[in-house]
Amino acid sequence: MELSAGLKLSQSGRSSIFQLKKSSNCFRSIYVPSTGYREELVRCKEELEHILDRHIDRCADHAFIKGRNCPTNAEMHLGKQYVLSLDIQDFFDSITRDSLNDLLSEDLMFWVLEDGAPRQGLPTSPLVANIAMIEVDRRIHQLCDAFGDVSFSRYADDITIGFQEPSLRTILQQGVETILGSRGLTLNKQKTRLQNVRNGSIHITGVAIDHQRVRPTRKTMRRIRAAKHQQNTAQIAGLTEWAKCKFPRLTDPARVLEDLESSRTEGNATGRIKKTASRKRDAGRNDSGSIDNASGHKASVNSDGACPSSKDRLAYIKSTAVPAKSVLEQLREDLRQESLKRNTGGGPVRS
């Protein structure tokens, strides 16, 4: 990125605005807070962290949460044949006061919003963005759960959904668009991408996955070889460390165990869970030896006591699942009711 010559102040006068040129020849506005304003924002961070911590089990983000990173984000989709990658257009700049009214006080919003949004460059913006996305993440989780074996994670503005049946692609994308639209967010269609593991490894937020593990991409390995050829020691060190695909160090064992258990029982994106086929079969067994699907139905075990194959289980889930059209219609109705309820400040709204 290149820094443009233009420099101006925000409307409040608390920040300087720089324009960074992106590879797409567009410009990104970076807000640099003044010394006094930065000190105030640092004080606000503690309160924002407490607010987000109360909803951490519903937050699907892996970018700005302790104990999560790019490998944990990619690991959520191990074992999936198809992975749909979606990008939220102008993520930080599209988050408005309306998305935060129910979660942040007016005094807090006065400090953390510049020119009406949590701008890039402010130390509080990642926290504010995650708080604004709490309800969005919850809705997308519900959408994915309605179709059974569907995984979901988010890395800032990058949404990733993994599934087994290609026919789910359209309905899942439409559902995500509907949910984002209810909060004034849109998808960048140019960055939408569907990957199939049969065509090779799947790339998610800079790392690759196959059926069993998270590993560095070929591009990373090529860059390491090029850096060695150029004898660029700094670049060699950085790329080599990135290629290790390290998971973050988790310093609170009690919290880690709690998050892992929450992820297993509630199907949210907290914690690191290896989603191999064998672990899914173990987690899916109930006391009677049968498997529960997302709709609450039970699939019998085979005559030899073994679990049905993934193909058999998927066929059973499809035969008992709610039609995709009904799920999308119910989602739209729920969002309509929620929007009207917010606008009227009352109870349920009659059609």
Side-chain angles (χ1 to χ4, degrees):
M1 292 185 179
E2 299 178 5
L3 183 64
S4 70
L7 174 64
K8 58 181 180 179
L9 293 177
S10 63
Q11 292 179 6
S12 66
R14 301 179 297 193
S15 303
S16 301
I17 307 174
F18 293 89
Q19 298 293 326
L20 289 182
K21 188 176 182 180
K22 301 190 289 185
S23 57
S24 59
N25 289 327
C26 298
F27 285 90
R28 174 178 295 161
S29 297
I30 302 296
Y31 283 62
V32 181
S34 63
T35 302
Y37 183 35
R38 176 175 288 277
E39 291 174 356
E40 188 63 42
L41 291 175
V42 171
R43 283 192 287 269
C44 292
K45 282 184 69 175
E46 184 176 356
E47 185 175 352
L48 292 170
E49 287 169 351
H50 285 312
I51 294 171
L52 182 60
D53 195 55
R54 291 200 298 268
H55 303 278
I56 195 65
D57 60 322
R58 292 158 59 185
C59 182
D61 184 51
H62 285 252
F64 308 118
I65 304 292
K66 291 180 180 179
R68 305 182 192 178
N69 62 3
C70 288
T72 64
N73 181 58
E75 189 187 32
M76 296 294 297
H77 309 283
L78 284 175
K80 297 297 185 291
Q81 182 173 339
Y82 298 94
V83 169
L84 178 64
S85 300
L86 305 168
D87 181 85
I88 302 175
Q89 182 89 34
D90 299 328
F91 179 51
F92 288 97
D93 295 344
S94 297
I95 294 173
T96 63
R97 180 179 294 268
D98 291 340
S99 304
L100 300 163
N101 277 333
D102 297 335
L103 296 163
L104 301 184
S105 66
E106 285 291 331
D107 181 62
L108 200 54
M109 285 192 286
F110 169 80
W111 291 109
V112 301
L113 301 183
E114 275 284 71
D115 296 344
R119 303 294 179 174
Q120 292 185 73
L122 305 184
T124 52
S125 291
L127 286 166
V128 175
N130 270 339
I131 290 171
M133 290 294 288
I134 286 171
E135 184 62 20
V136 172
D137 288 346
R138 185 183 72 83
R139 289 284 186 183
I140 297 178
H141 270 304
Q142 287 182 338
L143 173 69
C144 294
D145 289 345
F147 296 102
D149 189 16
V150 178
S151 57
F152 159 61
S153 67
R154 180 173 58 81
Y155 193 90
D157 58 348
D158 294 319
I159 293 174
T160 307
I161 299 176
F163 47 94
Q164 308 292 15
E165 280 292 300
S167 59
L168 290 179
R169 182 257 174 91
T170 300
I171 191 68
L172 287 170
Q173 184 172 337
Q174 288 178 351
V176 171
E177 287 183 292
T178 300
I179 294 168
L180 293 176
S182 70
R183 294 285 169 164
L185 302 171
T186 58
L187 289 178
N188 183 346
K189 296 294 184 64
Q190 294 181 344
K191 293 186 177 181
T192 298
R193 184 184 183 192
L194 180 67
Q195 300 177 80
N196 185 344
V197 73
R198 290 181 179 176
N199 297 330
S201 59
I202 289 175
H203 292 189
I204 304 173
T205 53
V207 296
I209 62 169
D210 49 31
H211 283 297
Q212 297 181 336
R213 66 190 179 100
V214 180
R215 58 182 180 79
T217 63
R218 291 181 180 179
K219 181 179 179 181
T220 297
M221 302 311 293
R222 284 197 302 269
R223 292 182 64 191
I224 290 175
R225 289 194 295 270
K228 288 180 178 178
H229 179 73
Q230 298 166 2
Q231 298 183 350
N232 188 331
T233 55
Q235 195 172 41
I236 291 171
L239 288 171
T240 301
E241 191 67 19
W242 173 259
K244 293 177 183 178
C245 295
K246 285 185 177 180
F247 290 94
R249 293 182 179 180
L250 303 174
T251 57
D252 186 351
R255 179 60 182 273
V256 172
L257 291 175
E258 179 183 338
D259 286 349
L260 287 172
E261 183 61 28
S262 177
S263 292
R264 292 190 185 101
T265 57
E266 298 179 18
N268 59 47
T270 306
R272 298 197 293 109
I273 303 177
K274 294 241 180 187
K275 293 199 170 184
T276 59
S278 60
R279 176 168 271 182
K280 286 180 192 172
R281 288 196 294 270
D282 292 340
R285 284 187 180 275
N286 57 28
D287 294 336
S288 61
S290 59
I291 299 177
D292 292 336
N293 67 19
S295 303
H297 300 280
K298 294 183 178 180
S300 301
V301 299
N302 296 332
S303 58
D304 59 359
C307 287
S309 67
S310 298
K311 186 176 181 180
D312 292 339
R313 186 180 177 217
L314 183 61
Y316 183 82
I317 291 175
K318 287 173 64 180
S319 69
T320 57
V322 177
K325 186 177 180 181
S326 300
V327 172
L328 194 57
E329 288 175 351
Q330 184 61 50
L331 172 64
R332 287 170 176 160
E333 176 60 23
D334 290 346
L335 291 172
R336 189 185 73 85
Q337 290 284 345
E338 181 184 289
S339 176
L340 291 173
K341 185 176 179 180
R342 285 200 308 269
N343 294 335
T344 59
V349 179
R350 294 180 181 177
S351 301

